[in-house]
Amino acid sequence: MTLGNTAENYGTIAKWLHWMTALLFLGAYVSVYYRHWFTEAKTPENWTALQLHLSIGVTIGVVVALRLLWKMANRSPDPEPGSRLDHLAAKAGHLALYAVMVIMPVTGYLGTGVNTEYFFLFDITSFKETEYFIFNYSDTMTFKEFEKPIDFIHKDIMGAWVVWLLIVGHIAAALYHQFVKKDRTIEKMTRGS
Ligand code: HEM
Ligand code: HEM
């Protein structure tokens, strides 16, 4: 077991961070759509589902910060054989996924007017209540006006489309490597070190 990445494989820490992110993304989607589809507005279940979404989203923000630091401090495994275009596409896809992992928590936090009751353990002040918002924005606009474009990015553009497309594309690429190219791409992120 190697903590850091090697030429052949992702190390234990990169693997944990990757699979934890995948699980947290699933949790962020399940909680928000459960809220939409299976709860009534203004019920305790509706609030709990929202708070789970906020808590999971904030956790993704923390995990991605650790992940980026770990990535900077580590080598990447050598890519599997492929054309320059294949390697470029993989790089671009991974970069876009990192961008999503940063944009979603940031737009989620900035566009939410209620505190995050972090897994019901402690409160994280909402952006609306921070001195930064009060001093810089509250004189010129209401929070509703401020959050509108941010919510549009978080929900309508990223949440409903871009994130799905990237994740589906990412999983399809992993399956293509496994079953068509039959190389070690998935193994690097799952087995050995
Ligand atoms: C990677 C992390 C996140 C993902 C993938 C994500 C995804 C989503 C999605 C898919 C929606 C619903 C879109 C729709 O209405 O169709 C949503 C709504 C929302 N998100 Fe996030 N989000 C994340 C992080 C956050 C964070 C950190 C916060 C705030 C601290 C947040 C606050 C909200 C709020 C308030 C809504 C509206 C709730 C609702 O429509 O029921 N999100 N998010
Ligand atoms: C079932 C779901 C998933 C599978 C099967 C999967 C599979 C993989 C595999 C095999 C790699 C290694 C690729 C390589 O070395 O070229 C990888 C890397 C990566 N995955 Fe996933 N993944 C999944 C979910 C996710 C999710 C949800 C995200 C983020 C939202 C994500 C983000 C990334 C990123 C950014 C990398 C590049 C890591 C690096 O080298 O820095 N993955 N994934």
Side-chain angles (χ1 to χ4, degrees), residues 10 18-19 21-22 25 67 71 94 97-98 101 167 170-171 174 185-186 188-189:
Y10 287 96
H18 174 268
W19 293 112
T21 312
F25 262 74
R67 202 169 158 179
K71 188 172 169 64
H94 293 164
L97 284 164
Y98 279 117
M101 286 187 271
I167 292 180
H170 181 61
I171 295 173
T185 302
I186 288 194
K188 276 181 187 169
M189 199 41 116

Side-chain angles (χ1 to χ4, degrees), residues 20-46:
M20 214 195 295
T21 312
L23 211 65
L24 287 165
F25 262 74
L26 183 67
Y29 271 98
V30 169
S31 53
V32 85
Y33 286 125
Y34 179 84
R35 175 175 200 246
H36 276 239
W37 295 335
F38 300 109
T39 69
E40 296 289 328
K42 298 192 166 59
T43 58
E45 299 77 50
N46 183 273

Side-chain angles (χ1 to χ4, degrees), residues 24-25 28-29 31-33 35-36 46 50 53-61 100-114 116 147 151 154-156 158-160 163-164:
L24 287 165
F25 262 74
Y29 271 98
S31 53
V32 85
Y33 286 125
R35 175 175 200 246
H36 276 239
N46 183 273
L50 174 66
H53 179 74
L54 308 190
S55 301
I56 292 169
V58 168
T59 310
I60 293 174
V100 152
M101 286 187 271
V102 172
I103 292 169
M104 291 309 281
V106 170
T107 52
Y109 176 71
L110 294 180
T112 302
V114 297
T116 297
E147 73 175 346
D151 282 352
H154 187 80
K155 298 195 222 171
D156 301 281
M158 303 296 289
V163 178
W164 279 117

